[in-house]
Amino acid sequence: MKKFLSAYNDYGIGRFFIPFGIIALVFGMFFFIHMDKTKNYKKTEAIVTRIELVEEEYDDGDTHHDAQYDVYVKYTVNGREYNEYYGLFSDLEEGETTTIAYDPNDPSVIAQPIGLIVPVALCAAGTASLAFGIISTVNTFKKRKALKEQEESWKK
């Protein structure tokens, strides 16, 4: 057990950076897929027509959590008015104007417009973190191996 805990402590940086890198890459890819799916969507202004409380604001001692609302919006495309569910938000209020993206083939399908910076930043951070974690783990492994060989030579 002592050997396991020692190895676990030695690989501490890799223990953090490798999973973080994988998670950041997964989210970055998710956003790229979402962007690809909505790349032909057109942007328009919409008015928040209704909000429904989903989760009240609360503090759990360490962290403050804002209230979460289901948001519905009204917008017009080619002279036709649409009232659609937009998503779960904490920062939109009834009567507020927001930008939405809609499918030109079916304007009732809407999404939140996402810029390119979010997926690129997540993928870059994930790649850098994963690389750093792997390099750190390999270096720690080499160091432990060299120390073990040195210890063996002292026993002779």
Side-chain angles (χ1 to χ4, degrees), residues 76-146:
T76 305
V77 176
N78 297 328
R80 182 169 177 214
E81 190 173 277
Y82 295 88
N83 287 298
E84 300 295 334
Y85 173 72
Y86 186 41
L88 187 68
F89 293 90
S90 62
D91 58 346
L92 291 176
E93 295 180 14
E94 215 168 294
E96 187 176 341
T97 302
T98 187
T99 301
I100 64 165
Y102 68 90
D103 183 350
N105 298 322
D106 182 4
S108 66
V109 177
I110 62 175
Q112 298 173 35
I114 297 177
L116 189 60
I117 195 160
V118 172
V120 168
L122 280 171
C123 286
T127 301
S129 177
L130 192 58
F132 182 76
I134 290 170
I135 290 168
S136 172
T137 301
V138 168
N139 286 341
T140 301
F141 178 78
K142 287 179 181 177
K143 182 174 74 173
R144 287 179 58 84
K145 185 178 177 185

Side-chain angles (χ1 to χ4, degrees), residues 1-11 144:
M1 182 70 164
K2 190 174 181 179
K3 263 186 170 178
F4 173 75
L5 289 175
S6 174
Y8 187 74
N9 287 332
D10 287 348
Y11 293 97
R144 287 179 58 84

Side-chain angles (χ1 to χ4, degrees), residues 53-69 90:
L53 182 65
V54 173
E55 185 176 354
E56 291 190 19
E57 177 179 350
Y58 68 93
D59 288 310
D60 62 10
D62 296 327
T63 316
H64 174 78
H65 300 272
D66 290 330
Q68 296 289 309
Y69 300 93
S90 62

Side-chain angles (χ1 to χ4, degrees), residues 20-60:
F20 175 79
I22 291 170
I23 291 168
L25 280 170
V26 166
F27 275 100
M29 289 298 150
F30 170 77
F31 283 121
F32 269 123
I33 290 168
H34 177 74
M35 278 185 58
D36 186 52
K37 183 179 131 186
T38 62
K39 71 181 174 189
N40 295 323
Y41 281 26
K42 306 255 188 248
K43 291 182 183 176
T44 191
E45 293 296 312
I47 298 172
V48 176
T49 57
R50 189 172 90 220
I51 60 172
E52 295 176 359
L53 182 65
V54 173
E55 185 176 354
E56 291 190 19
E57 177 179 350
Y58 68 93
D59 288 310
D60 62 10

